[in-house]
Amino acid sequence: MLRATLKSLLARKVRLVLSALAVVLGVMFVSGAFVLTDTLGRSFDAVFSDAYAGTDVGVTAKPKIEVGEMEGMQLAAPFPASTLDRVREVPGVADATGLAIAEGARVIGGNGKVLTSFGPPQLGANWTGESGQVELREGRGPTADHEVAVNGAVAKAAKIAVGDRVGVLTLQPKREFTVVGIYGYSGDRDSLGGAQEVAFTERVAQELMLGQPGVFSELSVQAADGVDPAKLRDDIAGTLGDGYVVKTGEQLSDEASAGLKEGLSFFNNILLGFAGVALFVGIFLILNTFSIIVAQRTRELALLRALGAARGQVIGSVLVEAVAIGLVASVLGLGAGIGVGALLAYVFGQTAGGLQLAGLGVPPAAVISSFAVGLLVTVVAAVLPAMRAARIPPVAAMQDVATPDRPLTKISAAGAVVAALGGTLMALGLSGTGGNVLLTILGGVLLSFIGVALLTPLISRPVVGLLGRLFSWSVPGKLGRLNSGRNPRRTAITAAALMVGIALVTGVTVILDSAKSSITALAEDTIQAELVISGAQTGPRPPSFDPAVLDRAAELPGVAMVAGLYSDRAEIDGKPGWVSATSNVSALREIYRATPTAGSIDSLAPGQLVVDSKTAEDRGLSVGETLPVQLSRGETRTYTVVGIYAESDLFGGFVLPATAAADFAVPQPTQAYLKLAPGASVDQVLPQVETLLADSPEVSVADRADFIEQQTSQLDGLLAMIQILLALAIVIAVLGIVNTLALSVLERTRELGLLRAIGLRRGQTMRMITVEAVVISVFGALLGIAVGTGLGAAVVRALREDGITDLVLPWTEMAVFLGLAAVVGVVAAVLPAIRAARLNVLGAIAHE
């Protein structure tokens, strides 16, 4: 039985390749995700191991505010320089170095633009001289306050050399320095992990990076010979007390690497999610393939039954084919995944500023998951066809018939139940009910797709018949329409594969277009300013500009009001939250249309704040109450609530006076709003504001419409990325149509021969196959658009309270999807149509 199965499999090599390709693509994503994260993880391990190679013990102060990975920039708390002397006196300390280092030193290149960094930090620090790692390549270290040295990564990105003058943005506005040195690292590296570094003198680094003289942010301690770093850590911690965090160099390296790996896991999950979509679509392809195979082998399987093969052996025969396909697909997918993982790691390394990659490795998880997923998908997809094969009666061997299709009652009832369950889970997830909201929503979406797929055969015959009438003006068109509707199950499964991809793309498009429309409408209605100063954030630190711009802009002719906005993470009355500060409190009324609900919001003195009504209700606050506020810098201060304003979807939270911004992590405004006087022209004022921003290249000024477009354009980029990744599912669906048509042509060989014999020409045969493919493709696209629109509308409805109030249906994109579906049908029909047209008429008539 095993030999017969393997011979049957090898006799149909094309079928094997087409069936395996869908699994190959899905497994490629799975294994590629694991290879990518393993390679980058080991690369970061090496980077931080090198970064802390000269540190046996590291000392920092406990930060004022703990900031999460996705919440912004964690500010290093400065501590007195006298701490360095205390540490040096601890027994077992060979030496200790004080570091005034922090993120936020942005170099302005020769083109007048700030160097950007997508991931690696932009560090400013005090020059501590050469060491085992740091090597001067040109010049010397800075000795005067107007001098800096930069690492090789900065020198190359900014195209600067020793002797050049460069502008640097820090906690203070732009200051110019002379580059006196360029340094690198052991191993001929320009940077550690792509970090951009600027080295100042100690006094300047303390002033510009830490905000005050005579302080450090870190201490690097070297242990004396024979001293255990762990014991030295404990001794130093006992000397300094609870206000400090003391760790070994190994701990610091592991923690820094673990933080980046946590971010990589998010990217890994995205790749795995798209792999899941590809494999889910692949199940439809394999299910259809094995269904057709079983129908074609009816007489063969019946003959085996007549010769004594048990039902279990027939099921085993079909499943052995599935296992063989799964094994081949897993091997190929693993190989392709290794290549994709290596390519993505290389791209990531280049994007991250030349990250030196560790050697390519294939973790056990990649191998295990590849074979587990590949085998599981193919075997699961083959179970139903295998069970159907076992039901073939032995007497069928003596008849020239295939097993007839069973009624659709049971499958339709099952589809209705599964779809209802999926809709219920989605409703629960979108309402926030239950434990894991994301898993509940994803489970609901998966069950909804399965339910719709089960219901598809019920509607395929009438819908396909209606679509086919568009092509019924010729004999090939009529035949193609009849062929596409003759087997509802097969047509439904083939169309369902395309449905999944198009439904996901349509659903995401509905959600993002609705969000974009809602945000645009809300911003146009809420922001009452003609000009906005802002910048695009590419890292944890938001772009900022010189506060002096606010005063100068207010003096421009035609400007009626200017309001600068600062923001920071803070701890309010012991609870984390966001706070804002504004240079003009009256802007709450004039620009954001905030209306007071209690107290006054017209002015703020030091020690006063206002808060939106929702936050006040949640925290039980009222006018006159006091509460402690801890900002990123300075000590805890007590503020009095003097006003409560109505919350809007664009602005809310606690608002402090502008003087409080000095203790923010970024003590400069990140946005500003300019309201023009009646009769003033945007075209006249905007160029003057641009001139004021000449020394603040991180930001630009735009009119309100352009500003809103800039904010919502990020959604367009997200949509494009999702569409590109989901294109894989559509490619697999195309393979499914090709596979179905190719096997269908083989199945109908005798029928095609008879049609040719009675006068159907080769061109007409090709048109017949093409019409069949186009009808199936358009049917799948229509189904996908309908399902995707429903899913997208449900999500938008659930997000109504979060400000997504407009439901936008992307009619243009839907029309494009239908057009692409027709093209997909034509492309998918090319090879099967050519094969059908080339059939030998006499041989086809005699075909068994």
Side-chain angles (χ1 to χ4, degrees):
M1 193 69 183
L2 179 61
R3 286 197 299 270
T5 300
L6 294 178
K7 287 188 68 175
S8 173
L9 183 64
L10 293 175
R12 299 174 175 87
K13 298 182 181 65
V14 175
R15 182 187 72 203
L16 174 66
V17 171
L18 289 174
S19 301
L21 197 53
V23 183
V24 168
L25 294 174
V27 170
M28 177 185 73
F29 261 102
V30 174
S31 56
F34 284 111
V35 170
L36 171 65
T37 51
D38 176 77
T39 301
L40 293 181
R42 289 184 291 105
S43 301
F44 286 124
D45 284 342
V47 166
F48 289 111
S49 178
D50 287 346
Y52 291 102
T55 300
D56 292 316
V57 177
V59 178
T60 59
K62 289 184 178 180
K64 303 288 186 180
I65 299 293
E66 293 286 350
V67 179
E69 281 290 327
M70 307 301 292
E71 294 176 342
M73 183 177 66
Q74 177 67 67
L75 185 67
F79 52 85
S82 59
T83 306
L84 177 61
D85 297 327
R86 295 173 60 191
V87 170
R88 283 174 172 168
E89 293 174 357
V90 175
V93 173
D95 193 14
T97 304
L99 302 175
I101 183 170
E103 186 167 351
R106 294 95 68 207
V107 174
I108 302 173
N111 58 0
K113 297 182 179 180
V114 175
L115 297 186
T116 57
S117 175
F118 296 95
Q122 298 175 300
L123 302 174
N126 56 316
W127 174 253
T128 57
E130 294 185 270
S131 64
Q133 280 191 330
V134 179
E135 304 168 345
L136 270 171
R137 294 178 178 173
E138 297 179 47
R140 57 177 175 81
T143 56
D145 289 352
H146 66 278
E147 296 176 343
V148 295
V150 298
N151 70 357
V154 171
K156 288 183 178 179
K159 296 181 174 58
I160 55 179
V162 172
D164 289 348
R165 295 282 290 175
V166 296
V168 182
L169 303 175
T170 57
L171 292 178
Q172 296 184 11
K174 173 184 172 183
R175 283 181 54 172
E176 290 199 346
F177 297 87
T178 300
V179 178
V180 296
I182 298 175
Y183 60 94
Y185 304 87
S186 58
D188 196 31
R189 291 172 293 176
D190 291 329
S191 70
L192 292 177
Q196 300 175 4
E197 297 181 32
V198 180
F200 308 91
T201 60
E202 183 175 289
R203 190 191 72 80
V204 173
Q206 291 170 339
E207 176 189 354
L208 298 185
M209 302 311 304
L210 303 183
Q212 54 185 307
V215 294
F216 292 119
S217 58
E218 297 179 24
L219 297 182
S220 175
V221 182
Q222 293 77 45
D225 292 339
V227 176
D228 180 20
K231 182 180 183 305
L232 183 59
R233 172 200 62 196
D234 296 339
D235 292 342
I236 294 175
T239 299
L240 297 180
D242 293 337
Y244 291 84
V245 178
V246 185
K247 297 179 180 179
T248 64
E250 185 177 355
Q251 285 178 305
L252 292 171
S253 175
D254 291 344
E255 289 180 5
S257 182
L260 282 173
K261 288 180 181 178
E262 185 177 349
L264 287 176
S265 67
F266 175 75
F267 185 62
N268 185 59
N269 290 336
I270 291 177
L271 291 178
L272 291 177
F274 285 104
V277 172
L279 291 167
F280 181 63
V281 174
I283 288 177
F284 291 100
L285 189 157
I286 298 168
L287 176 62
N288 220 15
T289 299
F290 277 96
S291 296
I292 297 173
I293 290 169
V294 168
Q296 291 174 345
R297 294 175 59 196
T298 298
R299 295 185 67 184
E300 175 189 334
L301 295 172
L303 184 60
L304 291 174
R305 290 292 312 280
L307 292 174
R311 287 191 173 187
Q313 288 179 299
V314 174
I315 292 175
S317 172
V318 177
L319 293 183
V320 164
E321 288 195 35
V323 169
I325 292 174
L327 285 173
V328 172
S330 298
V331 171
L332 296 177
L334 176 61
I338 293 172
V340 168
L343 177 62
L344 291 176
Y346 172 78
V347 172
F348 186 95
Q350 295 303 307
T351 304
L355 172 66
Q356 187 170 3
L357 296 175
L360 182 66
V362 183
V367 178
I368 295 171
S369 61
S370 295
F371 284 95
V373 168
L375 289 173
L376 180 65
V377 167
T378 49
V379 170
V380 167
V383 167
L384 289 178
M387 294 176 65
R388 190 177 184 191
R391 288 194 294 266
I392 297 174
V395 72
M398 295 176 285
Q399 302 175 11
D400 190 20
V401 295
T403 53
D405 274 341
R406 290 172 293 144
L408 300 175
T409 307
K410 291 183 179 179
I411 193 172
S412 299
V417 171
V418 174
L421 181 59
T424 302
L425 284 178
M426 279 192 60
L428 290 174
L430 293 172
S431 64
T433 306
N436 195 316
V437 174
L438 180 59
L439 285 180
T440 303
I441 293 174
L442 292 178
V445 171
L446 178 62
L447 289 178
S448 298
F449 279 136
I450 295 174
V452 172
L454 293 174
L455 288 170
T456 303
L458 186 65
I459 62 173
S460 65
R461 182 166 288 166
V463 175
V464 166
L466 184 62
L467 289 173
R469 292 189 181 278
L470 298 174
F471 305 94
S472 295
W473 47 269
S474 65
V475 171
K478 291 179 180 178
L479 290 173
R481 174 175 65 84
L482 294 173
N483 287 335
S484 59
R486 69 197 295 182
N487 193 324
R489 293 174 186 271
R490 183 182 303 172
T491 299
I493 294 174
T494 305
L498 186 60
M499 172 201 73
V500 173
I502 291 187
L504 290 173
V505 172
T506 303
V508 171
T509 304
V510 168
I511 295 168
L512 294 183
D513 281 1
S514 298
K516 185 175 179 179
S517 174
S518 300
I519 294 171
T520 299
L522 186 62
E524 288 177 346
D525 183 62
T526 303
I527 299 177
Q528 300 302 302
E530 287 78 10
L531 296 175
V532 182
I533 299 174
S534 66
Q537 187 167 342
T538 59
R541 189 187 194 283
S544 59
F545 58 96
D546 188 349
V549 170
L550 301 174
D551 296 331
R552 295 171 189 162
E555 297 172 356
L556 293 176
V559 176
M561 175 182 291
V562 176
L565 191 67
Y566 308 74
S567 63
D568 194 20
R569 191 74 176 163
E571 192 174 87
I572 307 102
D573 198 19
K575 298 178 182 178
W578 288 95
V579 295
S580 302
T582 177
S583 62
N584 190 340
V585 182
S586 60
L588 292 176
R589 282 178 180 268
E590 299 293 332
I591 293 177
Y592 281 113
R593 286 188 173 180
T595 56
T597 60
S600 172
I601 62 170
D602 293 328
S603 63
L604 285 175
Q608 296 180 338
L609 62 79
V610 295
V611 62
D612 72 87
S613 54
K614 186 177 185 305
T615 303
E617 181 181 353
D618 292 342
R619 293 190 177 230
L621 299 176
S622 59
V623 173
E625 289 194 40
T626 61
L627 62 164
V629 177
Q630 174 62 65
L631 300 173
S632 295
R633 306 176 194 274
E635 302 302 321
T636 301
R637 297 185 180 180
T638 300
Y639 284 80
T640 302
V641 179
V642 296
I644 298 175
Y645 62 93
E647 180 201 32
S648 77
D649 290 313
L650 287 181
F651 191 80
F654 295 91
V655 182
L656 309 180
T659 53
D663 287 335
F664 282 16
V666 179
Q668 297 173 347
T670 56
Q671 285 185 336
Y673 298 88
L674 284 72
K675 187 174 179 61
L676 304 186
S681 168
V682 169
D683 293 336
Q684 293 176 343
V685 177
L686 190 146
Q688 299 179 65
V689 179
E690 286 179 334
T691 302
L692 298 180
L693 295 172
D695 288 337
S696 300
E698 284 186 304
V699 299
S700 61
V701 60
D703 62 37
R704 183 174 60 178
D706 287 343
F707 168 71
I708 295 172
E709 176 63 27
Q710 290 170 7
Q711 302 306 304
T712 56
S713 63
Q714 299 176 12
L715 297 178
D716 294 331
L718 177 61
L719 177 60
M721 182 189 73
I722 293 174
Q723 288 175 336
I724 291 172
L725 291 172
L726 286 176
L728 175 65
I730 297 175
V731 169
I732 295 175
V734 174
L735 294 176
I737 298 172
V738 173
N739 203 12
T740 298
L741 292 176
L743 293 174
S744 181
V745 167
L746 183 62
E747 181 185 36
R748 289 159 29 205
T749 299
R750 189 175 184 185
E751 175 188 319
L752 290 170
L754 290 171
L755 288 172
R756 291 290 313 281
I758 63 175
L760 194 69
R761 296 188 299 274
R762 285 189 174 184
Q764 291 177 313
T765 303
M766 294 179 69
R767 288 202 299 274
M768 178 184 70
I769 301 296
T770 302
V771 167
E772 184 177 351
V774 170
V775 169
I776 293 174
S777 297
V778 173
F779 173 53
L782 282 173
L783 203 60
I785 289 172
V787 173
T789 301
L791 293 176
V795 173
V796 170
R797 178 66 183 86
L799 296 175
R800 180 175 293 275
E801 294 184 0
D802 295 320
I804 311 301
T805 55
D806 294 349
L807 175 61
V808 177
L809 299 183
W811 297 108
T812 302
E813 286 85 350
M814 291 178 184
V816 170
F817 294 157
L818 286 176
L820 288 176
V823 174
V824 162
V826 173
V827 172
V830 170
L831 293 178
I834 291 175
R835 183 174 183 179
R838 288 180 176 177
L839 284 175
N840 180 280
V841 177
L842 294 178
I845 293 174
H847 181 77
E848 291 290 339

